[in-house]
Amino acid sequence: MPRPLAVAPDFADFYEATFPQLLTQLHAFVGDRAEAQDMVQEAYTRAFARWSTVARFDDPVGWVRRVAWNLAISRWRRAKRLLSRHRDLLRDDVDGPDGLSLDLTRALAKLPPLYRQAVILHYLADLPVREIAQFTGAAEGTVKARLHRARAMLNELLSLDEKRVTDG
């Protein structure tokens, strides 16, 4: 909802203050930094085109976040359709160097998208369950269940990675 402002905040200041955190969230979701940058940049481009309106929203960063997530989900759906049609044309993924952040990124990628989204919004965006529920259109209990199940899955996935390192 727009709020009255005498002067809209400077877009450049808004961008500089909010871009890094939103990029981190989308990078964790899509697993590819360049792709995440493209989506976040597109969201900010759309915000800039409507800045006189967006700047007056109670939560302009929430508006940009919604646009970026919608872009990510749309791209994920398109990629999923393409993958199902052209699975034999894709090469195998190449493992990168070991490390906790890579293990976590891989584990996040194995979560169902709605679980991954809940974890990222809660732990990286630092949103409370109530705001995640509003953002996703899910009930608060559903968000809590997703977080609970995601934590259990991550615990299992990361324990398996740790076991491989100690056994291997």
Side-chain angles (χ1 to χ4, degrees), residues 49-65:
R50 300 164 182 79
W51 187 239
S52 61
T53 302
V54 173
R56 287 187 256 170
F57 289 163
D58 288 335
D59 184 15
V61 73
W63 187 91
V64 175
R65 180 185 300 115

Side-chain angles (χ1 to χ4, degrees), residues 75-134:
R75 286 188 187 185
W76 175 78
R77 286 179 180 149
R78 277 193 303 274
K80 188 175 175 183
R81 281 192 303 271
L82 180 65
L83 180 62
S84 69
R85 292 185 186 126
H86 303 287
R87 191 171 302 275
D88 57 322
L89 298 177
L90 297 175
R91 61 184 175 94
D92 292 333
D93 287 338
V94 177
D95 289 335
D98 289 332
L100 179 59
S101 63
L102 290 176
D103 291 341
L104 181 57
T105 300
R106 285 188 196 117
L108 282 169
K110 292 177 182 175
L111 293 178
L114 294 175
Y115 291 11
R116 186 168 62 241
Q117 181 184 44
V119 167
I120 292 166
L121 291 174
H122 190 65
Y123 293 105
L124 293 178
D126 209 22
L127 294 180
V129 169
R130 178 184 47 76
E131 288 183 34
I132 296 169
Q134 290 172 344

